[in-house]
PDB file of all heavy atoms in Angstrom:
ATOM      1  N   GLN A 172    -114.237 -52.905 -25.905  1.00  0.00           N
ATOM      2  CA  GLN A 172    -114.327 -52.681 -24.465  1.00  0.00           C
ATOM      3  C   GLN A 172    -114.313 -53.977 -23.661  1.00  0.00           C
ATOM      4  O   GLN A 172    -114.386 -53.943 -22.436  1.00  0.00           O
ATOM      5  CB  GLN A 172    -115.585 -51.884 -24.141  1.00  0.00           C
ATOM      6  CG  GLN A 172    -115.570 -50.468 -24.713  1.00  0.00           C
ATOM      7  CD  GLN A 172    -116.922 -49.791 -24.676  1.00  0.00           C
ATOM      8  OE1 GLN A 172    -117.862 -50.280 -24.018  1.00  0.00           O
ATOM      9  NE2 GLN A 172    -117.054 -48.681 -25.367  1.00  0.00           N
ATOM     10  N   GLY A 173    -114.226 -55.129 -24.352  1.00  0.00           N
ATOM     11  CA  GLY A 173    -114.121 -56.401 -23.638  1.00  0.00           C
ATOM     12  C   GLY A 173    -115.439 -57.090 -23.417  1.00  0.00           C
ATOM     13  O   GLY A 173    -115.640 -57.743 -22.378  1.00  0.00           O
ATOM     14  N   ALA A 174    -116.338 -56.997 -24.384  1.00  0.00           N
ATOM     15  CA  ALA A 174    -117.630 -57.671 -24.274  1.00  0.00           C
ATOM     16  C   ALA A 174    -117.438 -59.175 -24.272  1.00  0.00           C
ATOM     17  O   ALA A 174    -116.403 -59.703 -24.714  1.00  0.00           O
ATOM     18  CB  ALA A 174    -118.534 -57.255 -25.440  1.00  0.00           C
ATOM     19  N   THR A 175    -118.438 -59.886 -23.800  1.00  0.00           N
ATOM     20  CA  THR A 175    -118.406 -61.341 -23.883  1.00  0.00           C
ATOM     21  C   THR A 175    -118.895 -61.769 -25.261  1.00  0.00           C
ATOM     22  O   THR A 175    -119.555 -61.005 -25.985  1.00  0.00           O
ATOM     23  CB  THR A 175    -119.299 -61.986 -22.816  1.00  0.00           C
ATOM     24  OG1 THR A 175    -120.666 -61.656 -23.086  1.00  0.00           O
ATOM     25  CG2 THR A 175    -118.916 -61.522 -21.425  1.00  0.00           C
ATOM     26  N   LEU A 176    -118.608 -63.026 -25.599  1.00  0.00           N
ATOM     27  CA  LEU A 176    -119.087 -63.557 -26.869  1.00  0.00           C
ATOM     28  C   LEU A 176    -120.614 -63.538 -26.898  1.00  0.00           C
ATOM     29  O   LEU A 176    -121.224 -63.182 -27.915  1.00  0.00           O
ATOM     30  CB  LEU A 176    -118.565 -64.984 -27.059  1.00  0.00           C
ATOM     31  CG  LEU A 176    -119.013 -65.697 -28.331  1.00  0.00           C
ATOM     32  CD1 LEU A 176    -118.592 -64.932 -29.576  1.00  0.00           C
ATOM     33  CD2 LEU A 176    -118.446 -67.117 -28.364  1.00  0.00           C
ATOM     34  N   GLY A 177    -121.242 -63.901 -25.794  1.00  0.00           N
ATOM     35  CA  GLY A 177    -122.691 -63.908 -25.735  1.00  0.00           C
ATOM     36  C   GLY A 177    -123.279 -62.522 -25.970  1.00  0.00           C
ATOM     37  O   GLY A 177    -124.298 -62.380 -26.666  1.00  0.00           O
ATOM     38  N   GLN A 178    -122.657 -61.496 -25.402  1.00  0.00           N
ATOM     39  CA  GLN A 178    -123.142 -60.134 -25.606  1.00  0.00           C
ATOM     40  C   GLN A 178    -123.067 -59.742 -27.070  1.00  0.00           C
ATOM     41  O   GLN A 178    -123.998 -59.121 -27.607  1.00  0.00           O
ATOM     42  CB  GLN A 178    -122.333 -59.159 -24.750  1.00  0.00           C
ATOM     43  CG  GLN A 178    -122.641 -59.249 -23.269  1.00  0.00           C
ATOM     44  CD  GLN A 178    -121.692 -58.435 -22.418  1.00  0.00           C
ATOM     45  OE1 GLN A 178    -120.533 -58.226 -22.773  1.00  0.00           O
ATOM     46  NE2 GLN A 178    -122.170 -57.969 -21.275  1.00  0.00           N
ATOM     47  N   MET A 179    -121.967 -60.108 -27.738  1.00  0.00           N
ATOM     48  CA  MET A 179    -121.815 -59.738 -29.143  1.00  0.00           C
ATOM     49  C   MET A 179    -122.828 -60.466 -30.020  1.00  0.00           C
ATOM     50  O   MET A 179    -123.353 -59.898 -30.976  1.00  0.00           O
ATOM     51  CB  MET A 179    -120.392 -60.020 -29.614  1.00  0.00           C
ATOM     52  CG  MET A 179    -119.318 -59.167 -28.931  1.00  0.00           C
ATOM     53  SD  MET A 179    -119.673 -57.383 -28.948  1.00  0.00           S
ATOM     54  CE  MET A 179    -119.746 -57.049 -30.720  1.00  0.00           C
ATOM     55  N   VAL A 180    -123.127 -61.721 -29.682  1.00  0.00           N
ATOM     56  CA  VAL A 180    -124.146 -62.453 -30.436  1.00  0.00           C
ATOM     57  C   VAL A 180    -125.512 -61.813 -30.224  1.00  0.00           C
ATOM     58  O   VAL A 180    -126.298 -61.634 -31.172  1.00  0.00           O
ATOM     59  CB  VAL A 180    -124.145 -63.940 -30.036  1.00  0.00           C
ATOM     60  CG1 VAL A 180    -125.346 -64.664 -30.645  1.00  0.00           C
ATOM     61  CG2 VAL A 180    -122.849 -64.604 -30.481  1.00  0.00           C
ATOM     62  N   GLU A 181    -125.807 -61.431 -28.987  1.00  0.00           N
ATOM     63  CA  GLU A 181    -127.090 -60.781 -28.704  1.00  0.00           C
ATOM     64  C   GLU A 181    -127.211 -59.444 -29.443  1.00  0.00           C
ATOM     65  O   GLU A 181    -128.324 -59.019 -29.782  1.00  0.00           O
ATOM     66  CB  GLU A 181    -127.230 -60.553 -27.198  1.00  0.00           C
ATOM     67  CG  GLU A 181    -127.454 -61.829 -26.398  1.00  0.00           C
ATOM     68  CD  GLU A 181    -127.504 -61.571 -24.907  1.00  0.00           C
ATOM     69  OE1 GLU A 181    -127.365 -60.382 -24.514  1.00  0.00           O
ATOM     70  OE2 GLU A 181    -127.676 -62.538 -24.142  1.00  0.00           O
ATOM     71  N   LEU A 182    -126.074 -58.803 -29.726  1.00  0.00           N
ATOM     72  CA  LEU A 182    -126.071 -57.518 -30.419  1.00  0.00           C
ATOM     73  C   LEU A 182    -126.037 -57.677 -31.941  1.00  0.00           C
ATOM     74  O   LEU A 182    -125.822 -56.699 -32.653  1.00  0.00           O
ATOM     75  CB  LEU A 182    -124.882 -56.674 -29.950  1.00  0.00           C
ATOM     76  CG  LEU A 182    -124.967 -56.178 -28.509  1.00  0.00           C
ATOM     77  CD1 LEU A 182    -123.649 -55.543 -28.078  1.00  0.00           C
ATOM     78  CD2 LEU A 182    -126.115 -55.170 -28.353  1.00  0.00           C
ATOM     79  N   GLY A 183    -126.220 -58.891 -32.421  1.00  0.00           N
ATOM     80  CA  GLY A 183    -126.360 -59.094 -33.854  1.00  0.00           C
ATOM     81  C   GLY A 183    -125.175 -59.694 -34.559  1.00  0.00           C
ATOM     82  O   GLY A 183    -125.198 -59.817 -35.796  1.00  0.00           O
ATOM     83  N   SER A 184    -124.134 -60.087 -33.840  1.00  0.00           N
ATOM     84  CA  SER A 184    -122.984 -60.718 -34.479  1.00  0.00           C
ATOM     85  C   SER A 184    -123.333 -62.142 -34.904  1.00  0.00           C
ATOM     86  O   SER A 184    -124.087 -62.832 -34.212  1.00  0.00           O
ATOM     87  CB  SER A 184    -121.775 -60.748 -33.537  1.00  0.00           C
ATOM     88  OG  SER A 184    -121.350 -59.445 -33.205  1.00  0.00           O
ATOM     89  N   GLU A 185    -122.781 -62.572 -36.029  1.00  0.00           N
ATOM     90  CA  GLU A 185    -122.948 -63.945 -36.504  1.00  0.00           C
ATOM     91  C   GLU A 185    -121.685 -64.727 -36.162  1.00  0.00           C
ATOM     92  O   GLU A 185    -120.572 -64.210 -36.310  1.00  0.00           O
ATOM     93  CB  GLU A 185    -123.180 -63.964 -38.006  1.00  0.00           C
ATOM     94  CG  GLU A 185    -124.417 -63.224 -38.461  1.00  0.00           C
ATOM     95  CD  GLU A 185    -124.513 -63.184 -39.970  1.00  0.00           C
ATOM     96  OE1 GLU A 185    -124.269 -64.222 -40.622  1.00  0.00           O
ATOM     97  OE2 GLU A 185    -124.806 -62.106 -40.508  1.00  0.00           O
ATOM     98  N   LEU A 186    -121.842 -65.977 -35.761  1.00  0.00           N
ATOM     99  CA  LEU A 186    -120.723 -66.777 -35.273  1.00  0.00           C
ATOM    100  C   LEU A 186    -120.610 -68.093 -36.025  1.00  0.00           C
ATOM    101  O   LEU A 186    -121.586 -68.818 -36.172  1.00  0.00           O
ATOM    102  CB  LEU A 186    -120.896 -67.055 -33.779  1.00  0.00           C
ATOM    103  CG  LEU A 186    -119.846 -67.946 -33.106  1.00  0.00           C
ATOM    104  CD1 LEU A 186    -118.478 -67.254 -33.097  1.00  0.00           C
ATOM    105  CD2 LEU A 186    -120.285 -68.287 -31.690  1.00  0.00           C
ATOM    106  N   LEU A 187    -119.382 -68.379 -36.482  1.00  0.00           N
ATOM    107  CA  LEU A 187    -119.022 -69.704 -36.972  1.00  0.00           C
ATOM    108  C   LEU A 187    -117.946 -70.217 -36.035  1.00  0.00           C
ATOM    109  O   LEU A 187    -116.878 -69.608 -35.929  1.00  0.00           O
ATOM    110  CB  LEU A 187    -118.478 -69.634 -38.406  1.00  0.00           C
ATOM    111  CG  LEU A 187    -119.413 -69.144 -39.512  1.00  0.00           C
ATOM    112  CD1 LEU A 187    -118.636 -69.040 -40.827  1.00  0.00           C
ATOM    113  CD2 LEU A 187    -120.605 -70.061 -39.659  1.00  0.00           C
TER     114      LEU A 187
END
Side-chain angles (χ1 to χ4, degrees):
Q172 295 167 12
T175 66
L176 178 59
Q178 288 171 331
M179 295 309 300
V180 171
E181 289 177 0
L182 291 171
S184 297
E185 299 175 44
L186 177 66
L187 297 175

